[in-house]
Amino acid sequence: MRSIPLPIQRLIREFNKLPGIGSKTSERFVFHLLRQPTAEIEALARSLHELKDTIRLCSDCFTVSENDFCGICENPERSKQIICVVAEPKDVMAFEKTGTYSGVYHVLGGVIDHAHGTGPDQLRIKELLTRVASGGVTEIILATNPDMEGETTAAFIAKQLKDQSSIQITKIARGLPMGGNIEFADEITLGNAMSGRQNI
Amino acid sequence: MRSIPLPIQRLIREFNKLPGIGSKTSERFVFHLLRQPTAEIEALARSLHELKDTIRLCSDCFTVSENDFCGICENPERSKQIICVVAEPKDVMAFEKTGTYSGVYHVLGGVIDHAHGTGPDQLRIKELLTRVASGGVTEIILATNPDMEGETTAAFIAKQLKDQSSIQITKIARGLPMGGNIEFADEITLGNAMSGRQNI
């Protein structure tokens, strides 16, 4: 492979580090970029620098932000009474896309995962309790993934909050996904859909 | 989506332009990078700048190169008597990985594709004829893809070369791919495998 220019080999290696990207796809990216105008490659490089230089975490909710406080926490139209607790900033993004939530968030920075060495102390649970203790919060929505780590984390936080306060604690609904098929749904999903049934 | 910092939205858009990358994957890339040390993001940005600043086309064979002439054309161990004609620089890379070819290349910069407005004049066929005319070449291997455009391009070049010289013109073998299955091979592949049979 010494016949391949080093800058190309290096960029292939860099793209190869992105999640789910194998060396073939990485090569395709590089040869695609080589066919683009220089401005296109510059735009990608500039966006990367900008990400590195400008993104920090919101001091209130710990989601990604350009300033000390994120656009959601700073928006006067968002209710500070409801806090939706999520694992990662990308979960905030997913909920924001739905356009159905008008409260604020709290990003834990992960989930309890003893197998990978993440305990409750490494998450921003203390910061959540502090926000709750400062008053004004009426509801905490636990919105972690419906897997073992997510459920464990939600249960842990629910317990901590119940010990401390009398605010409402809810969990996002489990059930059949849109476009789902009862026939092929797994038992747990179907059981959740049944037990979480709603009046129409 | 105004709640998502602009630098994040911009980088998502940039990654989204890469071939085969949808917005979900693009988001996953950005949130992956946000979890990496700054040095990782810098390395990717630097590699992009390096690509843009240092890669040009070899003056002899038109593959990607850091200098006026590529590492293959400059390597005294590579035979200048054999030229393998390919469509794109990435095809050079694919052959180089096999480690079985010791001649040089000629990159056409595409294939004849009238549907997308690429005629023979937009390819580096004139440059190939000039290389051949300058003497010393004994064999031209036509190594375009086994599809209609690739076959058309190979046939066109073969005709031009036959009109001009008496050097050997070959085409890379068609047949069953490694790991292939006779039962499920299409008729053309199977027909090619039969007609191209070799002594063992």
Side-chain angles (χ1 to χ4, degrees):
Chain A
M1 291 288 288
R2 73 195 166 116
S3 52
I4 308 301
L6 279 176
I8 291 183
Q9 293 188 37
R10 272 195 286 264
L11 186 55
I12 289 173
R13 267 202 307 274
E14 289 301 325
F15 277 133
N16 206 180
K17 292 178 191 166
L18 292 173
I21 297 304
S23 55
K24 280 270 175 193
T25 309
S26 184
E27 282 171 23
R28 206 186 329 141
F29 288 174
V30 176
F31 285 105
H32 167 84
L33 288 174
L34 281 168
R35 282 195 305 273
Q36 302 309 305
T38 299
E40 279 294 302
I41 304 174
E42 268 170 3
L44 176 53
R46 198 170 47 240
S47 292
L48 284 161
H49 280 301
E50 204 187 17
L51 186 80
K52 183 180 78 59
D53 295 338
T54 65
I55 298 299
R56 63 185 93 180
L57 296 183
C58 172
S59 303
D60 257 356
C61 76
F62 305 99
T63 194
V64 284
S65 175
E66 286 175 273
N67 306 306
D68 282 349
F69 296 96
C70 75
I72 300 168
C73 288
E74 287 214 316
N75 183 346
E77 287 166 29
R78 308 290 296 237
S79 165
K80 298 279 165 78
Q81 296 187 300
I82 309 174
I83 298 178
C84 175
V85 178
V86 297
E88 303 283 356
K90 63 185 172 190
D91 301 324
V92 171
M93 193 150 163
F95 280 111
E96 285 302 290
K97 278 191 196 163
T98 70
T100 58
Y101 179 65
S102 59
V104 292
Y105 296 90
H106 189 88
V107 179
L108 296 170
V111 284
I112 298 172
D113 182 1
H114 294 296
H116 294 90
T118 312
D121 291 349
Q122 281 136 286
L123 306 178
R124 299 190 198 93
I125 296 174
K126 203 166 69 249
E127 289 85 344
L128 175 64
L129 299 178
T130 308
R131 284 178 80 180
V132 171
S134 71
V137 178
T138 57
E139 181 180 356
I140 298 281
I141 305 168
L142 299 171
T144 48
N145 281 330
D147 54 22
M148 209 180 68
E149 291 78 18
E151 298 284 9
T152 305
T153 308
F156 181 88
I157 295 171
K159 192 173 176 307
Q160 302 272 307
L161 288 168
K162 272 181 188 149
D163 290 351
Q164 288 212 1
S165 66
S166 60
I167 53 174
Q168 193 184 2
I169 302 169
T170 59
K171 195 163 99 164
I172 52 168
R174 270 61 166 130
L176 284 171
M178 203 52 197
N181 191 316
I182 290 177
E183 185 183 0
F184 299 118
D186 67 281
E187 291 131 63
I188 298 173
T189 299
L190 214 49
N192 283 336
M194 184 58 83
S195 62
R197 64 190 181 277
Q198 295 157 331
N199 290 321
I200 50 171
Chain B
M1 290 286 289
R2 72 196 167 117
S3 52
I4 309 303
L6 280 176
I8 292 183
Q9 293 189 37
R10 272 194 285 266
L11 187 54
I12 289 172
R13 267 202 306 275
E14 290 301 325
F15 277 135
N16 206 182
K17 294 179 190 166
L18 292 172
I21 298 305
S23 54
K24 280 270 174 193
T25 309
S26 184
E27 282 170 23
R28 207 188 325 143
F29 288 174
V30 175
F31 285 105
H32 167 84
L33 287 173
L34 281 168
R35 283 195 304 272
Q36 302 309 306
T38 299
E40 278 295 302
I41 305 175
E42 267 170 4
L44 177 52
R46 201 169 45 239
S47 290
L48 284 160
H49 279 301
E50 203 186 20
L51 186 80
K52 186 180 78 60
D53 294 339
T54 66
I55 298 299
R56 61 185 97 179
L57 296 183
C58 171
S59 303
D60 257 356
C61 77
F62 305 99
T63 195
V64 284
S65 174
E66 285 176 274
N67 305 306
D68 282 348
F69 297 97
C70 74
I72 300 167
C73 286
E74 285 213 316
N75 184 344
E77 286 166 30
R78 306 292 292 238
S79 166
K80 300 280 167 78
Q81 296 186 299
I82 310 174
I83 299 178
C84 175
V85 178
V86 297
E88 302 283 357
K90 64 184 170 190
D91 300 323
V92 171
M93 194 152 163
F95 280 111
E96 284 302 289
K97 278 190 194 165
T98 70
T100 58
Y101 178 64
S102 60
V104 291
Y105 295 90
H106 189 87
V107 179
L108 295 170
V111 283
I112 298 172
D113 183 359
H114 293 297
H116 294 90
T118 312
D121 291 348
Q122 281 136 285
L123 305 177
R124 297 190 199 94
I125 296 174
K126 203 166 71 245
E127 289 84 345
L128 174 64
L129 300 178
T130 307
R131 284 178 80 181
V132 170
S134 71
V137 178
T138 58
E139 182 180 355
I140 299 282
I141 304 169
L142 298 172
T144 48
N145 281 331
D147 54 20
M148 208 182 66
E149 291 77 19
E151 298 284 10
T152 304
T153 309
F156 182 88
I157 294 171
K159 190 172 175 307
Q160 302 271 307
L161 288 167
K162 272 182 187 148
D163 289 350
Q164 287 211 1
S165 67
S166 59
I167 53 174
Q168 194 182 2
I169 302 167
T170 59
K171 195 163 99 167
I172 53 168
R174 269 62 166 131
L176 285 170
M178 203 55 196
N181 189 316
I182 290 175
E183 187 183 357
F184 300 117
D186 66 281
E187 291 131 63
I188 298 174
T189 299
L190 214 49
N192 281 335
M194 184 56 82
S195 63
R197 64 191 182 275
Q198 296 158 329
N199 290 319
I200 50 171

